[in-house]
Each structure stands twice: as C-alpha cells, then as structure tokens.
Amino acid sequence: MMNARIRIVVALLAMGGLAAVSPDSVVAYGGPGSVISGIGTLLAAIAAVLAALFGFIWFPLKRLYAKLTENSTEEEEVA
C-alpha cells in the first residue's frame, strides 16, 4: 500500500520536473509592461512576507519587554 503511494508521488514529481525543464513550457513573449508588472508583484509579495515576519517577531518581543520592565519598576517602587 505504502509502496504504491510512494510510486505515485515519485511519478508525479518526475512528470512535474520534466514539464518544468521542457523548452515548450516557456514560449510566451513578455513585453515591457508585463515584465514591470511582474517585478512589482514580486516585490510586493516579498514586502508582505517581510511585514508578516516583522509583526510575528517584533510585537511579541515588545510585549515581553514591556512585561519585564513593568516587573522591575514595581520592585523599585517597593524598595
């Protein structure tokens, strides 16, 4: 059962790889407007991923820093 699934996955990957490297898959003309639009889309996607990573990393660290400094200010007030 498992061997059949592995064979199917390997066959699909092989067909996908052959389709990706075959010269018939890239025969379209990319004019200047479409290329500039594609570059803009790529840059926007990269900026979105970086903004998401920034949000997932920065804001929890900011909250942790605020919590740590809040505890230290309470200790200073008590002393």
Side-chain angles (χ1 to χ4, degrees):
M1 184 78 170
M2 190 61 128
N3 288 335
R5 287 185 183 176
I6 292 173
R7 282 188 205 156
I8 291 172
V9 169
V10 169
L12 288 174
L13 287 174
M15 286 190 296
L18 288 173
V21 297
S22 70
D24 292 334
S25 64
V26 184
V27 293
Y29 169 72
S34 64
V35 172
I36 290 173
S37 296
I39 292 171
T41 303
L42 179 67
L43 292 176
I46 290 171
V49 169
L50 290 176
L53 288 174
F54 177 75
F56 280 118
I57 293 171
W58 174 251
F59 290 112
L61 288 177
K62 186 172 139 181
R63 192 178 317 164
L64 178 67
Y65 178 73
K67 186 182 275 188
L68 290 175
T69 56
E70 178 182 299
N71 290 339
S72 65
T73 57
E74 287 178 3
E75 292 172 0
E76 292 172 1
E77 291 175 3
V78 172

